[in-house]
Amino acid sequence: MLRHCTYPIPSLTPYIAQFWSIEAQCRINMPDYLPGTGVEILLNLADDVELIQTSIAGPSVTTVTLLRAEQAVCICPRLSQLKIKPAGRIHLFSVRFRSAGFFSLFAIPLNVFSDQVIHISELGLVLPDTITNSHHDALVNQLQPWFTSRLDTKLPGQNLLKHAIDQLYYQHTQFSVQAIQQATDLSERAFQRSVKQLTGVSAKYFARTARFQATLKLLLKQPQAPVHFCLDTLLAQGYCDQSHFIRDFRYFTGSTPTQYLRVANPQCNFYLHPVGD
């Protein structure tokens, strides 16, 4: 299996977190997308894969989307888990956006396709004609000018709201949702409406997923860490105690931390960057 990860050019860094790809000549177990993973454009360059999405809120509902070769979709798992089930040879390429990056570039509200698998054409997006070039670096080089051309998009209050979303995601341990809302000078109702437009969910839920994602990343980096490290990590990320974290963990993954971390492969998940190809 080959894994590639490329960071965007400086002008795109505020909007795109990374470009990643996975290649394998035979079917392998792919990592799952957990709720809150983010927004991605996912391009399939090999055999068909099934995208299996299961809701975690309310009654469990599962939907299956067939992603054929040279097709691209947008995904935004917020209240659902998404599994990738390959049928054979694997070559997936993805653009992972930062919290408010997709909306900032395309002005498409995330609540339009949150927890859905939507073909990019349905969102009015058309990738460059030569995008079927399958080499990772070539794909990155073709796509970056296309994204750069979107930087002229201007929306009222965009920078302020983008900053607020970044604070909710990256500084959730320092600022409360209320404090971030008050700093925008927006009413609570207007703030919640704007956050849902940019992220697909409420500010409170978005902050909850940010806390869980940050904690999970830290634990995956130290799978053999002693108990006191794990407890300190939970408390530092804003959890009241271990029970609080376990409840959240069960909600987002369907299993306990011990069960999940025992089977999770640190070299093949969507939370850590690849150590090498």
Side-chain angles (χ1 to χ4, degrees), residues 7 9 22 40 49 65 68 101 111 145 149 162 175 203 214 244 256:
Y7 298 106
I9 57 178
I22 294 180
E40 298 195 13
V49 299
T65 303
R68 297 189 180 279
N111 50 316
S149 70
K162 184 179 180 304
F175 303 105
H244 183 196
T256 67

Side-chain angles (χ1 to χ4, degrees), residues 13 28 33 58 65 80 112 120 138 165 176 181 213 217-218 256 274:
T13 298
I28 60 173
Y33 285 92
T65 303
S80 63
V112 169
I120 61 169
I165 300 300
S176 66
Q181 176 254 311
Q213 293 280 339
K217 289 175 187 177
L218 291 171
T256 67

